[in-house]
Each structure stands twice: as C-alpha cells, then as structure tokens.
C-alpha cells in the first residue's frame, strides 16, 4: 500500500501534513527517512514512524448485521441507537463503519468494516453494486409494475433512476408485496420509486447487498463475522 494512504488511514496525518512532515524529515520507514509520499510500504512488516509515532494497522474487520427498525446506520447519533451500538465492545474497533445507509425504519442487511477504501469502493456508482429489498406497500401492485420499474423511475423533482427489477409477490388490494433490486443508492430511493408508481412503502427490508444474502438464521439485531472465503471474494471485486 502507498505510504500516504497508510498514514491517512491510520489517522496520523492529512495529505498536506504528510508533505510537510516529509520535508522536515519526520517520516521514517525502518529508520530510513522517507522522500516520497507514494512509497510502497507494508505496515505489518515495516516499522513506520510519523513524527516519532508508530503507525499501527488495525486488524481488518468485516461484519454482516441484520439491522432492526429504529436503529440508525451511522457511527454516532445523539438521539438513537446506532448499528455500532449493536456490536460487542471488542468488535467496535477503530474506524469501523456501515457501508452505505438504510433509513432508520428500514430493516435488514448492513455490512460493516474498518477497511475504509474497500467500503467506499463498494459504494462508488461505477461499481453498480446490486441491492435487493423486500417491500410491503399500502395498495395493490398491478401487472404493469415490473415494466414501470424496468423503464427507470423518474421522481417528481426530475431525478431519474436506473432500471430496477421488480418481482410482485402479492398484488392484494391494500397490501402489495414485492422484491426489488436496484444498483444505485439514492436517498430514500426505494420509497420514492414506489411513491412514483403511486403506492406508499409500509415495510422495507434489505435482503441482499453486493452478493451477500441475509440469512434467516440471523435474528434482527444480530450480526456475524464474514468468513475468510467471503472476505477473499469481497477483496477480489473491490480491493
Ligand atoms: N431505499 C429507501 O427508500 N430506504 C432505505 O433505507 C434503503 C433504500
């Protein structure tokens, strides 16, 4: 990894401070003064010092959590419980954050990691990471609904969405149920897409994200570590 990225990731200095520290010869790798911020380093193998402070790389952590309604997918909140509050203390490692956001009333799959670059890459629009939601609405979903979503929904403010795949599970009057897959992450996207169709979302749960499925065995509020095999696959696509 690049030295500057390692230092920024560890929270020891900003890009601008790194330049200054290099000029004043205050960054060393295995005792050698560093000349270039882009020098390739391995913080597990080398002794990196920034103004005398040792760069310590945290162990990478990856969790799959089943968010409860009422919990916010943020790192801190003055009013509500956050997804980090659902982690055991030993798993609340520095830099851990939820990859993407669900509304407070939305349930389901949230991935968490302290691997910032990987998390941000998963969210980058160019990767078109699929997200599937189970949705309940306050009225019937008619046979025209899948085509409406497939054509790319446009909100009242003119925002247009990429095609989404809708499977109607129940078209019962007053209580439609469906599964929808989107590849973007616009604010309140699923709720707004259904509003554009003419119904209101009454229940929303993310059931898959980036190839991960929410298992029935994971109760609401519980979480598990990703396996080494799952981390390998994640890194293959996003590292
Ligand atoms: N779309 C929404 O409207 N809400 C969510 O929480 C996620 C996607």
């Amino acid at each position: 990894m690049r030295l500057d990225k390692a230092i920024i990731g560890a929270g020891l200095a900003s890009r601008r401070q790194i330049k200054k520290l290099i000029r004043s010869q205050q960054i060393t790798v295995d005792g050698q003064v560093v000349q270039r911020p882009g020098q390739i380093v391995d913080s597990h193998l080398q002794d990196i010092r920034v103004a005398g402070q040792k760069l310590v790389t945290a162990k990478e952590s990856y969790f799959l959590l089943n968010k409860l309604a009422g919990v916010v997918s943020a790192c801190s909140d003055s009013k509500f419980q956050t997804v980090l509050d659902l982690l055991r203390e030993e798993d609340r490692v520095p830099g851990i954050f939820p990859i993407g956001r669900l509304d407070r009333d939305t349930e389901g799959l949230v991935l968490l990691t302290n691997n910032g670059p990987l998390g941000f890459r998963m969210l980058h629009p160019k990767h078109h990471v699929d997200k599937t939601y189970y949705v309940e609405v306050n009225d019937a979903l008619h046979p025209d609904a899948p085509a409406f979503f497939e054509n790319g929904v446009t909100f009242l403010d003119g925002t247009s969405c990429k095609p989404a795949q809708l499977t109607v599970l129940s078209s019962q009057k007053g209580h439609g149920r469906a599964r929808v897959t989107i590849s973007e992450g616009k604010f309140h996207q699923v709720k707004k897409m259904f509003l554009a169709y003419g119904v209101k979302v009454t229940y929303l749960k993310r059931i898959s994200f980036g190839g991960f499925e929410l298992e029935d065995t994971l109760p609401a509020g519980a979480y598990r570590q990703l396996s080494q095999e799952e981390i390998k696959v994640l890194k293959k696509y996003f590292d």
Side-chain angles (χ1 to χ4, degrees), residues 101-103 106 133 188-191 204:
R101 292 202 165 205
L102 291 181
D103 296 337
T106 301
Y133 295 84
H188 299 320
Q189 180 162 347
V190 173
K191 290 174 184 167
L204 188 58

Side-chain angles (χ1 to χ4, degrees), residues 1 3-13 18 55-56 58 94-95 114 116-117:
M1 149 178 258
L3 175 69
D4 49 2
K5 280 198 170 171
I7 294 173
I8 294 166
L12 288 182
I18 291 170
L55 189 153
V56 182
N114 59 351

Side-chain angles (χ1 to χ4, degrees), residues 67-222:
K67 182 175 114 47
L68 296 158
V71 173
V72 290
S73 38
C75 293
S76 63
D77 194 276
S78 55
K79 239 164 99 193
F80 300 106
Q81 198 180 25
T82 73
V83 284
L84 297 200
D85 295 328
L86 297 176
L87 301 181
R88 286 181 288 276
E89 200 177 333
E90 66 268 25
D91 290 331
R92 244 174 275 145
V93 294
I96 192 94
F97 72 106
I99 306 176
R101 292 202 165 205
L102 291 181
D103 296 337
R104 188 157 55 88
D105 59 354
T106 301
E107 298 181 2
L109 197 162
V110 176
L111 291 180
L112 298 112
T113 185
N114 59 351
N115 183 342
L118 181 138
F120 293 121
R121 271 196 287 276
M122 274 194 94
L123 294 175
H124 196 283
K126 83 170 181 200
H127 288 299
H128 308 291
V129 174
D130 278 350
K131 303 149 190 96
T132 301
Y133 295 84
Y134 167 76
V135 192
E136 295 182 6
V137 295
N138 70 340
D139 212 341
L141 293 163
H142 300 288
D144 64 348
F148 180 84
F149 281 75
E150 187 59 50
N151 288 336
V153 175
T154 302
F155 302 152
L156 282 180
D157 66 3
T159 305
S160 55
C161 303
K162 294 208 164 66
Q165 291 67 54
L166 183 84
T167 305
V168 176
L169 303 172
S170 162
S171 49
Q172 195 186 326
K173 193 168 182 311
H175 189 195
R177 294 187 294 114
R179 218 176 17 241
V180 66
T181 299
I182 59 173
S183 59
E184 307 166 279
K186 298 188 196 303
F187 193 46
H188 299 320
Q189 180 162 347
V190 173
K191 290 174 184 167
K192 285 183 173 175
M193 287 196 307
F194 279 91
L195 267 186
Y197 176 73
V199 295
K200 186 174 175 339
V201 170
T202 53
Y203 177 78
L204 188 58
K205 180 175 192 171
R206 184 153 69 187
I207 53 176
S208 91
F209 174 43
F212 291 91
E213 307 275 335
L214 187 65
E215 304 107 17
D216 294 338
T217 49
L218 198 65

